[in-house]
Structures are given as structure tokens and as C-alpha cells.
Amino acid sequence: MAEKKPNLHKTLLILIVIFLPPFWLIFTDEGSRVSDTALLWLMGEKDVKVDLSRLDNRYSQEDVRNVYSENEWQCGPQSTPFGDQLCVSRIGTFNGYPSQAITFYFRDGRVSALKLIYRDQYHQQILGFNIEQFGQPSNVAAAIADGPDADEVLEWDLEHGVMVMKKTLGKSDEPALLWMASGGL
């Protein structure tokens, strides 16, 4: 009986199938996000999905608590520049990106702002997601300008509000995204 020679193509394909997924999960930004998101899900952390392009000041505190009823909300009166009440919840992910907390601010019982605190290592990915979803920031020319006068905060004018986030995070900067309702502040 003739001895069968190993097929080099088949061997290489098997090695790629075995080693590529762990390499992708560990050594790429997208792979790290996917593995971190899966780990947060396994640990029971909650995912919050909010379409910021559709969010507006018609929603009440009760609406937010009903839609995201799985979250443990800490709500109460609080005087802030964004309103007179707020609800905050610890979260695992926001629109699929590892995050820490989300705060809804209310003025006269209606949503006036949303603040997301995300994990700082995902800043560039969230920035890219926002550009993909909403296009270039409305102040992109001022943000990419050279010199000390360049805008450090990127702004997106959305249909029912404005979203802002820092262009780059410094060591002491809070990794946060802020959405503010139009005409309510």
C-alpha cells in the first residue's frame, strides 16, 4: 500500500483555522471589543442600545425606565445644567461597545440629555462608529486645524439634539459622550 503524502495546502488551512480566531480576538481592536463584550455579557452586565439620531425630548423618565427595565436605575431630583432630575445605571455595553454607566437627565419630566461613560480603550472605535452613523462632525474643519486653536471637542448636529465627545482623551479626561436635546437647554 502506497504511503499518503501530507497535503501542504490542507495543513496550512487547518493551522489558519485554528490560530486565526485567537489571534484576531487578542491582537486586534475589533477582536478585543468582541471578546470584552462577550465577557461582560457572561458576567451578567446589561447592554443598552440607544439610537441617538432618534432620541428626543418627548421621552419621560417612565419611558426610559420601562424600555430599559432590566437595568437598576438610581433616579431622583438633582439640579444640574441639564435639568432637575436624573437617572443613572451601571451598564456593560452601549450599542455594542464596552461601557460603564449611562445617565439620563430630565427637565420638566422629559429627557434633556444623555451622558455615556465608556471604557477609554474604546475611544477611537466609538469615534469611528459615530462618524459611520452620523457622518463627519459639524465642526470637523475646526477640529482638524493645526495649532492651539483647533477644537478639542467634536460636535454632531442630529435631528433632535447635539452630540459631543472629545477628539482625543488625555490621561485625566473622562471617556464620555454627551447628547443634549435641541431647544431644551
Side-chain angles (χ1 to χ4, degrees):
M1 188 186 253
E3 192 173 314
K4 190 174 181 182
K5 292 183 182 180
N7 185 340
L8 180 62
H9 297 294
K10 190 175 187 179
T11 304
L12 286 174
L13 180 62
I14 290 171
L15 288 173
I16 288 171
V17 167
I18 290 172
F19 290 110
L20 190 58
F23 178 84
W24 179 78
L25 286 171
I26 294 170
F27 296 111
T28 66
D29 290 340
E30 182 67 11
S32 293
R33 182 185 69 82
V34 169
S35 59
D36 287 352
T37 300
L39 184 60
L40 288 165
W41 177 77
L42 287 171
M43 293 172 55
E45 298 291 338
K46 303 296 186 240
D47 181 35
V48 171
K49 293 186 184 330
V50 177
D51 184 352
L52 294 172
S53 66
R54 292 184 163 193
L55 184 61
D56 63 34
N57 62 1
R58 291 178 298 160
Y59 298 104
S60 69
Q61 187 179 129
E62 186 178 329
D63 294 333
V64 169
R65 291 176 76 144
N66 286 338
V67 170
Y68 304 108
S69 60
E70 290 183 3
N71 295 69
E72 293 180 27
W73 293 99
Q74 306 288 321
C75 298
Q78 178 89 26
S79 181
T80 71
F82 305 116
D84 50 14
Q85 291 192 358
L86 60 79
C87 286
V88 64
S89 179
R90 179 180 164 182
I91 61 173
T93 59
F94 178 83
N95 291 345
Y97 289 90
S99 300
Q100 295 175 332
I102 188 169
T103 304
F104 283 92
Y105 296 88
F106 302 90
R107 175 170 280 128
D108 299 325
R110 299 290 172 197
V111 172
S112 59
L114 173 147
K115 179 181 178 183
L116 167 72
I117 300 174
Y118 52 87
R119 298 178 194 270
D120 60 352
Q121 65 264 35
Y122 297 102
H123 178 76
Q124 290 300 320
Q125 288 186 33
I126 291 172
L127 179 60
F129 173 80
N130 289 335
I131 291 171
E132 182 181 308
Q133 291 292 306
F134 310 117
Q136 290 294 329
S138 56
N139 66 335
V140 70
I144 62 172
D146 289 331
D149 294 334
D151 285 351
E152 289 297 317
V153 176
L154 301 173
E155 300 175 14
W156 285 266
D157 292 324
L158 305 178
E159 186 174 347
H160 303 289
V162 174
M163 181 178 63
V164 296
M165 71 182 289
K166 298 240 357 179
K167 182 170 58 174
T168 57
L169 292 178
K171 288 189 180 213
S172 62
D173 290 338
E174 179 178 57
L177 171 149
L178 181 66
W179 172 90
M180 297 165 287
S182 299
L185 298 177

